[in-house]
């Protein structure tokens, strides 16, 4: 299997590692706007060779893992270049604008819109992690628009990588993911900003920050180059989630100002239900 990966960072590099592990006869080709990333990816043995889009005609799979604003054009250009039996998969965190952008492409049947919900706060080839996708949910949108044989090829890859599959329409995907992913990143970035503004002594932040702060602010280490386009493409849903979040923060602030600590307790106790959900649903 000849696999071409566009974007050799955390997601693309991790995909390369897992494809190599599960398909030993595969050959991995890398494409990246950053030549240093490609050189490092070869050193780390994430890819076997560098490539260009001109090589796509003999590709079995092209996996696109670039920022979502870039992916709109990259995926259309990729579909222009591929052969009739090539499967193109993307891994972006927004889907509505992408699916709309390719809806009338002559090779729409070759494209599978996917979003593996996995990752870390790190970026670049060094961030690539084996089994990053194992036991993670992979959302597939508009599966009916992908040729059946290419669906089968994609599902074989996803199954071997250990992913759980869910199907959604692009609009539902973007709405749900705004709450469970995009809002989390905004909250983390703004918590980090607040602490940096109020705690001027960096030594105090380092010495006094406990595990709670570290885990809550972890996502603030994520790449702004990746997340700014996500917020832009999913603007309406992100604003809706922010309005709800700000309303809850304001209500909680008012409870403390009014010394209604019984209701503060009740609010937190009700929210404790989230741990039951995150522990797993049959």
């Amino acid at each position: 299997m000849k696999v071409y990966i566009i974007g050799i960072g955390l997601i693309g590099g991790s995909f390369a590692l897992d494809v190599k592990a599960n398909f030993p006869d595969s050959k991995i080709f890398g494409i990246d706007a950053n030549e240093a990333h490609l050189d490092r990816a070869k050193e780390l043995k994430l890819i076997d060779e560098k490539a260009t889009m001109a090589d796509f005609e003999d590709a079995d799979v092209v996996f696109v893992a670039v920022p979502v604003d870039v992916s709109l054009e990259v995926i259309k250009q990729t579909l222009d270049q591929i052969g009739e039996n090539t499967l193109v998969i993307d891994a972006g965190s927004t889907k509505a604008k992408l699916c709309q952008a390719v809806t009338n492409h002559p090779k729409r049947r070759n494209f599978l819109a996917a979003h593996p919900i996995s990752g870390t706060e790190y970026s670049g080839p060094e961030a690539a992690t084996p089994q990053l996708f194992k036991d993670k949910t992979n959302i597939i949108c508009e599966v009916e628009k992908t040729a059946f044989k290419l669906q089968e090829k994609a599902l074989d890859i996803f199954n071997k990588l250990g992913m759980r599959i869910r199907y959604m329409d692009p609009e539902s995907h973007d709405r749900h993911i705004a709450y469970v992913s995009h809002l989390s990143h905004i909250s983390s970035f703004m918590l980090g900003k607040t602490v940096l503004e109020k705690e001027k002594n960096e030594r105090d932040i380092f010495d006094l920050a406990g595990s709670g702060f570290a885990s809550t602010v972890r996502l603030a280490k994520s790449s702004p180059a990746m997340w700014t386009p996500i917020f832009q493409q999913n603007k309406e849903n992100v604003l809706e989630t922010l309005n709800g979040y700000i309303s809850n923060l304001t209500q909680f602030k008012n409870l403390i100002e009014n010394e209604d600590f019984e209701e503060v307790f009740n609010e937190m106790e009700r929210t404790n239900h989230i741990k039951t959900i995150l522990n797993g649903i049959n």
Side-chain angles (χ1 to χ4, degrees):
M1 184 166 65
K2 291 185 176 180
V3 179
Y4 290 74
I5 299 177
I6 306 178
I8 311 295
L10 166 66
I11 299 298
S14 299
F15 185 77
L17 286 174
D18 284 356
V19 168
K20 280 175 171 283
N22 290 279
F23 299 89
D25 295 332
S26 62
K27 188 167 184 179
I28 310 292
F29 300 85
I31 299 172
D32 200 292
N34 187 330
E35 193 70 21
H37 278 187
L38 286 177
D39 292 336
R40 186 64 178 137
K42 280 200 75 174
E43 291 173 9
L44 295 169
K45 302 189 184 306
L46 303 179
I47 63 174
D48 299 305
E49 301 290 344
K50 300 180 186 179
T52 69
M53 286 188 176
D55 304 317
F56 283 167
E57 193 167 337
D58 69 342
D60 293 299
V61 178
V62 179
F63 186 76
V64 183
V66 297
V68 294
D69 56 336
V70 178
S71 72
L72 293 177
E73 287 304 316
V74 165
I75 289 172
K76 286 191 284 187
Q77 292 168 9
T78 298
L79 291 172
D80 289 340
Q81 296 290 330
I82 60 169
E84 289 299 318
N85 298 311
T86 303
L87 167 66
V88 180
I89 306 170
D90 93 294
S93 182
T94 57
K95 285 288 170 279
K97 290 188 185 303
L98 173 59
C99 288
Q100 184 179 13
V102 300
T103 189
N104 294 318
H105 196 284
K107 290 182 181 172
R108 174 63 184 85
R109 64 187 292 278
N110 293 77
F111 174 63
L112 186 80
H115 178 201
I117 303 178
S118 55
T120 70
E121 66 273 31
Y122 301 109
S123 58
E126 292 86 355
T129 305
Q131 297 188 321
L132 181 71
F133 306 103
K134 185 174 174 58
D135 298 325
K136 301 299 193 305
T137 299
N138 186 17
I139 301 175
I140 297 176
C141 297
E142 297 188 335
V143 66
E144 71 282 356
K145 295 186 178 181
T146 305
F148 184 70
K149 286 188 177 179
L150 297 180
Q151 291 181 36
E152 289 185 315
K153 182 185 290 187
L155 289 174
D156 180 51
I157 294 171
F158 296 153
N159 287 335
K160 285 188 168 63
L161 269 56
M163 297 182 187
R164 299 188 299 260
I165 304 299
R166 281 202 62 181
Y167 298 96
M168 282 187 188
D169 64 85
E171 291 74 22
S172 295
H173 166 276
D174 287 4
R175 185 171 63 254
H176 293 310
I177 215 71
Y179 279 98
V180 297
S181 173
H182 300 172
L183 181 59
S184 302
H185 282 78
I186 295 171
S187 177
S188 186
F189 275 114
M190 291 304 99
L191 173 60
K193 177 179 186 286
T194 302
V195 171
L196 287 172
E197 288 177 345
K198 297 299 182 182
E199 291 286 354
K200 301 301 183 183
N201 189 321
E202 293 184 5
R203 170 55 64 179
D204 287 344
I205 297 175
F206 181 81
D207 287 345
L208 302 180
S211 59
F213 175 77
S215 61
T216 307
V217 83
R218 174 180 66 85
L219 297 176
K221 295 183 279 186
S222 300
S223 166
M226 182 178 78
W227 279 97
T228 303
I230 289 172
F231 300 147
Q232 182 179 13
Q233 282 199 13
N234 206 22
K235 173 185 172 181
E236 289 78 12
N237 290 313
V238 166
L239 287 176
E240 180 183 333
T241 65
L242 274 174
N243 284 334
Y245 188 46
I246 291 167
S247 175
N248 281 325
L249 286 173
T250 301
Q251 181 184 359
F252 199 77
K253 173 176 172 283
N254 290 339
L255 291 174
I256 294 175
E257 283 180 340
N258 296 327
E259 298 194 0
D260 188 353
F261 292 104
E262 180 178 353
E263 188 56 26
V264 167
F265 176 91
N266 292 335
E267 282 278 83
M268 293 190 291
E269 187 174 51
R270 285 191 290 268
T271 308
N272 275 168
H273 178 61
I274 198 72
K275 66 185 177 186
T276 303
I277 297 172
L278 295 178
N279 282 339
I281 296 175
N282 293 327

